[in-house]
Structures are given as C-alpha cells and as structure tokens.
Amino acid sequence: KQWYQRRVAITAGITNNLSSKMRPLTEEEAKGLFEKLAKYIGDNMKLLLERSDGNYVFRYHKDKVYYVSETIMKKATNVGRKELISLGTMFGKFSKGGKFKLHITALDFLSSYAKQKVWLKPGAEQQFLYGNNVTKAGLGRISAGTDKYDGVVVYNMSDLPLGFGVAARSTNDCKTTDPNTIVVFHQADVGEYVRAESTMS
C-alpha cells in the first residue's frame, strides 16, 4: 500500500514541457489506473515501473493512457499533439465520466504478471474470442485461491493468453457449480484486434 500511494504521487507529480502534447496523469487518474492494474497483477505493478532496462512511465494523451520508455517519450516531444497518434503501449482509456478501462493492448503485460489465471477448454475459446462470458462447461482450470470478482487473465490450454475478465465464481465455487453457470465475466479478448481495430491505437 505504501508503494502504491508513493507511486500515485510520483506519477501524478512529474511535470515537464510535454503538457501541450501529452502529460503525466493527475493524481485521480493515476489512482484509477493503479487500482485497475492491482485487480489483475497486485503488487507486481511495481515491476512495470522499476525495471532494469530503463525508466518507464505512464502518460495521458487524448483520453488514453500509454506505457512508454522515457527515451521514446522524449523523442515524442518533436511531434505535435495533433500529429501524435500513439506512443509505447496503450493500456486503456478514460471514459467521459472519468472511469478507466483496461484495453486488450495491455494483455502482454497483464499476462506476464497475472496473479490469478483461467484456462479454457478448446471448445470455449471461440466463444470467448467473440466477446462472450465463460461458463463452467468451458472452464479447463482456474488458479487456486481465486476469489469472486478477482481480475483473471484468460488462457487456452496451451498457455496462450486470450484476454482477461473478472471471476464470477471463486475457485471453490467452480468445483460444484452448474455447467451453464457463468464463471468469468468477459472484459477483453484478442479478437478485438479484428472487431475493433480502429480503437487499438
């Protein structure tokens, strides 16, 4: 918790000459981002920013949050705000109401540091990739100790990440629930690269 509070302050407190093009997150925006990340990767959030291969930061640009190395960020200062389309990896977007939503473009990082995981049976993969929830019948495995409403990264049985969601049932509940019961609420899947290509940048 102390690391989280310190990181929110640092992330929101950095200022530079990028304010007219892209900017650091406000304290409220940083809080929304880190709370969402914590749901999926817990304390592993610190591994995103405390890296041995250089300094990485989160930046806000046109309602979207990007995860980018400081090296690339500094190079982006030469690009005008209207011309700058994207930089680094887009983690998600803020709604008009200020609520942060993680996008599928963050999957590589979520899957690397995920605390709770779900594996789908082959027959359930396509349904999930069409944006549907996961039922008990399609569940191959689930991480031990998963609680209801935990964030989970969804994989196929070959450990290929397919997307992420929210547990609708705990690990223990999944053992006894009906096959038609929803066990994972869909949040995002890699099929969006085809279905929603225009929102990916």
Side-chain angles (χ1 to χ4, degrees):
K1 186 175 181 180
Q2 290 180 342
W3 179 92
Y4 165 79
Q5 292 173 333
R6 184 172 67 253
R7 182 52 60 181
V8 167
I10 292 173
T11 300
I14 298 174
T15 57
N16 53 38
N17 62 358
L18 298 179
S19 58
S20 62
K21 301 178 182 179
M22 57 183 165
R23 61 169 174 78
L25 278 64
T26 65
E27 183 171 351
E28 192 65 25
E29 289 165 350
K31 181 179 179 181
L33 167 66
F34 287 133
E35 285 181 348
K36 186 69 69 170
L37 287 175
K39 189 175 185 69
Y40 290 91
I41 63 178
D43 290 341
N44 285 338
M45 284 189 300
K46 62 185 179 182
L47 300 177
L48 292 173
L49 297 171
E50 297 176 356
R51 295 174 51 157
S52 60
D53 60 342
N55 295 322
Y56 281 72
V57 295
F58 288 101
R59 284 294 180 267
Y60 180 101
H61 182 63
K62 298 180 180 179
D63 296 326
K64 298 175 182 178
V65 176
Y66 295 89
Y67 176 64
V68 59
S69 72
E70 285 190 347
T71 300
I72 293 176
M73 182 189 68
K74 290 175 181 177
K75 291 180 179 179
T77 60
N78 298 316
V79 182
R81 185 180 188 279
K82 292 183 179 180
E83 290 74 27
L84 184 62
I85 297 174
S86 177
L87 73 163
T89 300
M90 188 184 75
F91 261 52
K93 184 177 182 179
F94 282 97
S95 67
K96 292 182 179 179
K99 185 176 181 180
F100 181 74
K101 180 182 179 181
L102 282 168
H103 277 217
I104 189 61
T105 43
L107 179 60
D108 284 350
F109 295 96
L110 296 183
S111 62
S112 296
Y113 303 119
K115 291 287 190 178
Q116 309 295 352
K117 304 178 181 181
V118 164
W119 290 263
L120 302 186
K121 294 177 180 177
E125 288 182 36
Q126 187 173 23
Q127 286 301 309
F128 181 75
L129 294 177
Y130 282 154
N132 296 306
N133 297 324
V134 179
T135 64
K136 167 63 182 302
L139 182 67
R141 286 190 292 146
I142 184 170
S143 295
T146 300
D147 292 323
K148 187 176 182 179
Y149 302 131
D150 277 351
V152 294
V153 174
V154 179
Y155 299 79
N156 65 15
M157 296 305 290
S158 298
D159 287 326
L160 179 69
L162 303 175
F164 53 90
V166 175
R169 293 288 188 275
S170 68
T171 300
N172 288 336
D173 289 342
C174 286
K175 296 176 182 178
T176 57
T177 194
D178 185 90
N180 294 321
T181 299
I182 293 173
V183 294
V184 176
F185 296 120
H186 174 280
Q187 293 291 299
D189 67 82
V190 294
E192 292 175 34
Y193 284 106
V194 175
R195 301 197 310 271
E197 183 179 1
S198 63
T199 67
M200 292 295 101
S201 61

